[in-house]
């Protein structure tokens, strides 16, 4: 078995905002998907009192503190979170999320603890949010691995493909070359739709040199049948052959619920509320012509969404495409909003109200919703790091404020039970 440099997950995410999808090196049993933990660390950049952690300061932190501990690769995603403070004032905050695919070892947990402690001390932060996904997550590094469960009753799963664009020997896959690959190879196999976003990767090679590489991430919601698994493997093989690539990372989260409109019961509403993740995908094309503008969407978020989820949310820019009923390729700018909230009926109703309002206000046919209920969230405010929790995908919101709010809420609930 040879070691492979491959691009790992952004989170799920689904943003065209600048990312650094970083390579990963791992030994892989041939023709078998590998079980790894997906660990996400959420770093707020607002500095208490005034100012913020700059791009160069954060990159230096990654280079000096994170990459030496995880030299095989990691992912950095830029985005903007927003929330309402205790006075009802809207607060916006630039944030960074670092995503790792790693083995579940105590040594790695110590490394995570050291990273969190250093960031909090260096930039005067109250907390760093730590989440990890190990609920039915499988990772593949090439074509041919057994990635999907292939359920007897097919169900929707979330699958993400990470394509490095550096070409061995020199050059890179251009934007137009990659788009042509998506149009001719990926979309015909998954005509119902996909999301593409840009990234930049870095890792340490065998000499300790930092390697940077632009990348593309394609996200699919698909049924876990054998035909779709075969299609994913064909895409990976085609990319590797066409652009002389060593590998393509594929991560499949097989424990999600998917809805394409209103009325589906996606949330279990536990008797004891638990934190879950929900991602909403908003297409911006308006039937008949035009599109939802940046200002219109931001106003919708401010007026309709944030008041229902004042503790925080994350907005991602994305580009989607699909084939319509005539086989014509349709491209559509979109927005993805990620939340973490308790699985209560009130929150489920709020999600349905948001979707219903968007459908009506902008004459939309559907809003895609993806829910992962198997998450536990850690707000790291002290040195010990608990056993990693789970979250799927990328998830950005104002870390310090939400950490404190939800932590205090849990403490109050615990005290009332006692």
């Amino acid at each position: 078995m040879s070691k492979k440099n491959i691009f790992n997950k952004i989170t799920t995410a689904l943003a065209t905002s600048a990312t650094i999808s970083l390579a990963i090196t791992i030994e892989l049993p041939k023709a078998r998907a590998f079980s790894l933990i997906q660990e996400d660390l959420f770093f707020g950049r607002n500095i208490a009192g005034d100012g913020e952690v700059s791009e160069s300061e954060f990159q230096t932190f990654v280079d000096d503190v994170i990459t030496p501990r995880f030299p095989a690769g990691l992912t950095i995603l830029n985005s903007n979170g927003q929330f309402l403070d205790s006075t009802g004032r809207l607060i916006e905050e630039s944030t960074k999320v670092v995503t790792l695919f790693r083995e579940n070892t105590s040594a790695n947990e110590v490394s995570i603890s050291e990273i969190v402690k250093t960031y909090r001390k260096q930039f005067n932060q109250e907390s760093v949010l730590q989440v990890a996904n190990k609920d039915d997550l499988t990772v593949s590094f090439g074509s041919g691995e057994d990635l999907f469960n292939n359920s007897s009753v097919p169900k929707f799963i979330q699958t993400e493909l990470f394509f490095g664009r550096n070409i061995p020997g020199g050059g890179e896959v251009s934007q137009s070359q990659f788009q042509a690959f998506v149009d001719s190879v990926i979309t015909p196999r998954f005509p119902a739709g996909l999301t593409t976003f840009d990234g930049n990767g870095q890792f340490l090679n065998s000499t300790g040199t930092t390697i940077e590489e632009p990348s593309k991430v394609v996200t699919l919601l698909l049924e876990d049948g054998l035909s779709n698994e075969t299609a994913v493997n064909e895409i990976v093989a085609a990319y590797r052959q066409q652009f002389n690539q060593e590998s393509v990372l594929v991560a499949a989260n097989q424990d999600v619920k998917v809805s394409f409109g209103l009325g589906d019961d996606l949330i279990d509403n536990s008797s004891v509320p638990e934190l879950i993740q929900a991602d909403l995908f908003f297409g911006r094309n308006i039937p008949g012509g035009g599109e939802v503008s940046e200002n219109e969407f931001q106003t919708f978020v401010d007026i309709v969404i944030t008041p229902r989820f004042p503790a925080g949310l994350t907005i991602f820019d994305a580009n989607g495409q699909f084939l319509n009923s005539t086989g014509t390729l349709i491209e559509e700018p979109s927005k993805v909003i990620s939340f973490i909230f308790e699985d209560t009926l009130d929150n489920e109703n709020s999600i349905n109200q948001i979707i219903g309002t968007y459908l009506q206000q902008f004459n939309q046919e559907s809003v895609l919703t993806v829910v992962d209920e198997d998450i536990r969230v850690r707000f790291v405010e002290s040195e010990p790091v608990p056993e990693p929790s789970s979250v799927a995908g990328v998830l950005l919101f104002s870390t310090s404020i939400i950490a404190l709010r939800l932590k205090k809420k849990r403490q109050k609930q615990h005290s009332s039970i006692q």
Side-chain angles (χ1 to χ4, degrees):
M1 295 179 293
S2 62
K3 290 188 175 181
K4 300 177 178 181
N5 289 327
I6 52 82
F7 274 74
N8 85 354
K9 177 183 186 302
I10 200 166
T11 262
T12 153
L14 306 171
T16 52
S17 54
T19 63
I20 302 180
S21 308
L22 303 183
I24 187 169
T25 304
I26 193 161
E27 297 216 356
L28 177 73
K30 187 176 181 180
R32 181 172 177 236
F34 204 75
S35 295
L36 297 173
I37 289 176
Q38 177 194 332
E39 182 115 36
D40 297 330
L41 299 173
F42 299 84
F43 301 91
R45 290 173 56 196
N46 284 358
I47 297 176
D50 195 18
E52 75 173 23
V53 180
S54 69
E55 290 286 338
S56 60
E57 287 174 326
F58 191 84
Q59 187 58 55
T60 299
F61 175 80
V62 172
D63 295 343
D64 294 346
V65 179
I66 304 181
T67 304
R69 290 173 169 84
F70 294 97
L74 51 84
T75 300
I76 304 172
L77 172 65
N78 291 335
S79 190
N80 291 301
Q82 67 180 61
F83 61 96
L84 300 182
D85 69 9
S86 58
T87 68
R89 181 168 58 105
L90 181 65
I91 304 296
E92 297 182 355
E93 180 178 22
S94 299
T95 56
K96 296 276 189 177
V97 63
V98 174
T99 298
L100 305 162
F101 286 92
R102 69 168 183 84
E103 293 181 339
N104 187 19
T105 66
S106 58
N108 282 336
E109 291 181 18
V110 170
S111 293
I112 295 295
S113 178
E114 292 169 346
I115 291 167
V116 169
K117 179 181 177 181
T118 303
Y119 189 78
R120 292 180 58 227
K121 181 178 180 180
Q122 185 171 337
F123 299 112
N124 192 26
Q125 299 292 304
E126 293 182 350
S127 64
V128 172
L129 173 64
Q130 176 192 346
V131 295
N133 176 25
K134 56 181 180 180
D135 59 317
D136 213 1
L137 178 74
T138 52
V139 180
S140 164
F141 301 93
S143 58
E145 287 93 3
D146 185 12
L147 191 65
F148 297 171
N149 289 337
N150 307 132
S151 304
S152 56
V153 178
K155 64 177 183 178
F156 276 99
I157 64 174
Q158 186 171 24
T159 302
E160 293 170 330
L161 288 73
F162 301 83
F163 300 91
R165 290 171 52 199
N166 282 357
I167 297 175
E172 69 178 41
V173 181
S174 69
Q175 293 281 352
S176 60
Q177 286 175 320
F178 189 83
Q179 188 58 54
F181 178 81
V182 173
D183 296 346
S184 62
V185 178
I186 304 180
T187 304
R189 289 174 168 81
F190 295 100
L194 54 87
T195 301
T196 305
F197 55 99
D198 295 324
N200 289 297
Q202 73 177 54
F203 61 96
L204 299 184
N205 67 10
S206 58
T207 67
T209 303
T210 298
I211 305 298
E212 297 185 357
E213 179 176 20
S215 62
K216 292 281 187 177
V217 182
V218 174
T219 299
L220 302 163
L221 275 301
L222 49 85
E223 290 186 336
D224 64 343
L226 181 59
S227 61
N228 282 337
E229 183 173 15
T230 299
V232 168
N233 284 328
E234 290 171 348
I235 291 166
V236 170
Y239 190 78
R240 294 175 62 196
Q241 181 178 12
Q242 184 171 338
F243 299 111
N244 192 25
Q245 298 293 302
E246 188 175 335
S247 60
V248 173
L249 184 148
V250 184
N253 184 358
Q254 301 182 94
D255 193 13
V256 297
K257 297 180 182 178
V258 179
S259 170
F260 297 93
L262 288 169
D264 295 327
D265 186 14
L266 293 185
I267 299 175
D268 288 342
N269 309 130
S270 304
S271 56
V272 178
E274 298 175 345
L275 292 175
I276 66 173
Q277 178 194 354
D279 295 334
L280 275 63
F281 298 74
F282 299 89
R284 292 171 54 198
N285 284 356
I286 297 176
E291 68 178 40
V292 180
S293 69
E294 290 287 339
N295 287 339
E296 286 174 324
F297 191 84
Q298 188 58 55
T299 299
F300 177 79
V301 174
D302 295 346
I303 295 175
V304 178
I305 303 181
T306 303
R308 290 176 167 83
F309 294 96
L313 53 86
T314 302
I315 306 171
F316 300 88
D317 292 321
N319 289 303
Q321 67 180 65
F322 60 94
L323 300 182
N324 66 12
S325 57
T326 68
T328 302
L329 179 65
I330 304 297
E331 297 183 355
E332 180 174 24
S334 59
K335 297 281 187 176
V336 180
I337 297 187
S338 291
F339 309 84
I340 287 181
F341 54 75
E342 290 183 332
D343 59 346
T344 64
L345 183 59
D346 285 345
N347 283 336
E348 184 173 13
N349 288 337
S350 291
I351 291 294
N352 284 327
Q353 290 165 1
I354 290 167
I355 293 172
T357 302
Y358 192 77
L359 296 179
Q360 181 178 16
Q361 185 171 335
F362 298 111
N363 192 26
Q364 300 292 302
E365 293 183 356
S366 63
V367 172
L368 172 65
T369 306
V370 180
V371 173
D372 190 335
E373 296 192 297
D374 191 9
I375 72 168
R376 291 169 297 160
V377 181
R378 310 290 190 191
F379 304 106
V380 184
E381 298 179 293
S382 57
E383 296 180 20
V385 174
E387 178 184 353
S389 57
S390 98
V391 91
V394 178
L395 195 39
L396 289 168
F397 49 93
S398 70
T399 305
S400 59
I401 297 297
I402 292 178
L404 291 174
R405 284 187 174 183
L406 292 178
K407 182 172 183 286
K408 289 177 180 178
K409 183 175 181 181
R410 289 285 175 130
Q411 289 174 337
K412 289 180 180 179
Q413 291 175 338
H414 183 68
S415 299
S416 64
I417 292 174
Q418 289 180 330

